[in-house]
């Protein structure tokens, strides 16, 4: 049987608060989001490694605060009346227009509005030349998101497969948890990889199929993991 053509269709990203998996790795960051609007400052910072859940929490806060996303690099040309709370993601990822950010933070304080900042590193390590901005940001409440543990990684895998409309057996999740990097990026990547491979070969994602696919991309597989799964026309 010839392989099925796989189209790179966009998938649905779900950012429902009810589906956010809270563990000791992210509970302080989730708590900070939930404490709004009772922050003691007009802004707060959530930081952690790439694909750790910062964007997910930003979307949860967006729904709670009716906030809008803005590009930090384009703040100089950004007209903001402070009527709607603002989300600035990955503020430490590129050159920051410091004067424009300081102006936005002042507007938030003057008008009783709020700004949520996300970053990969803690605010104390940001290279900020403007002294007033540096001290202002370091006074805001912050919360770190740590890389996921095994329990969290299993929940992330389940969510990524669910977002793709795939039901996955517990033994497949357990197998993957022991063989992929502990990060949200890895969970998303392996779910995408297995989804595309299963569509191409018209197979269900079993433990044996997952082992075979991981082996083809250089992942380790245990002897005996690979089986002779037959194509499933009802996939």
């Amino acid at each position: 049987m010839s392989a099925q053509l796989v189209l790179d269709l966009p998938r649905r990203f779900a950012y429902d608060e009810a589906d956010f998996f809270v563990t000791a790795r992210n509970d302080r960051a989730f708590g900070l989001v939930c404490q709004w609007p009772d922050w003691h400052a007009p802004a707060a910072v959530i930081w952690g490694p790439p694909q750790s859940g910062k964007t997910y929490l930003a979307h949860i806060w967006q729904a709670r605060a009716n906030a809008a996303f803005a590009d930090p690099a384009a703040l100089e040309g950004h007209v903001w009346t402070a009527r709607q709370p603002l989300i600035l993601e990955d503020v430490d990822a590129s050159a920051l227009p410091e004067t424009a950010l300081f102006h936005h933070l002042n507007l938030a304080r003057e008008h009783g509005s709020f700004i949520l900042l996300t970053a990969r590193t803690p605010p104390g390590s940001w290279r900020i030349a403007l002294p007033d901005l540096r001290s202002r940001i370091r006074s805001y409440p912050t919360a770190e998101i740590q890389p996921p543990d095994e329990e969290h990684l299993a929940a992330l895998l389940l969510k990524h497969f669910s977002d793709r409309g795939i039901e996955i057996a517990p033994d497949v999740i357990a197998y993957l948890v022991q063989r992929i990097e502990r990060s949200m990026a890895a969970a998303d990547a392996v779910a995408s990889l297995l989804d595309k491979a299963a569509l191409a070969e018209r197979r269900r994602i079993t433990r044996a199929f997952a082992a075979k696919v991981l082996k083809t991309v250089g992942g380790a597989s245990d002897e005996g993991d690979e089986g002779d799964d037959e194509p499933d026309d009802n996939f």
Side-chain angles (χ1 to χ4, degrees), residues 172 175 193-216 225-229:
V172 180
Y175 177 83
L193 175 69
L194 292 175
D195 181 22
K196 291 179 180 179
L199 285 172
E201 299 188 29
R202 298 178 64 85
R203 299 177 186 236
R204 289 190 173 89
I205 301 174
T206 63
R207 186 173 182 273
F209 182 76
K212 185 187 76 169
V213 173
L214 290 185
K215 186 176 181 179
T216 64
D225 276 340
E226 295 181 46
D228 297 323
D229 290 349

Side-chain angles (χ1 to χ4, degrees), residues 16-47:
D16 297 331
E17 181 173 340
D19 292 334
F20 186 78
F21 191 70
V22 181
T23 70
R25 308 283 173 166
N26 60 20
D27 59 345
R28 290 190 67 251
F30 181 71
L32 182 59
V33 166
C34 294
Q35 287 166 12
W36 180 88
D38 296 326
W39 293 348
H40 65 71
V45 182
I46 292 175
W47 63 277

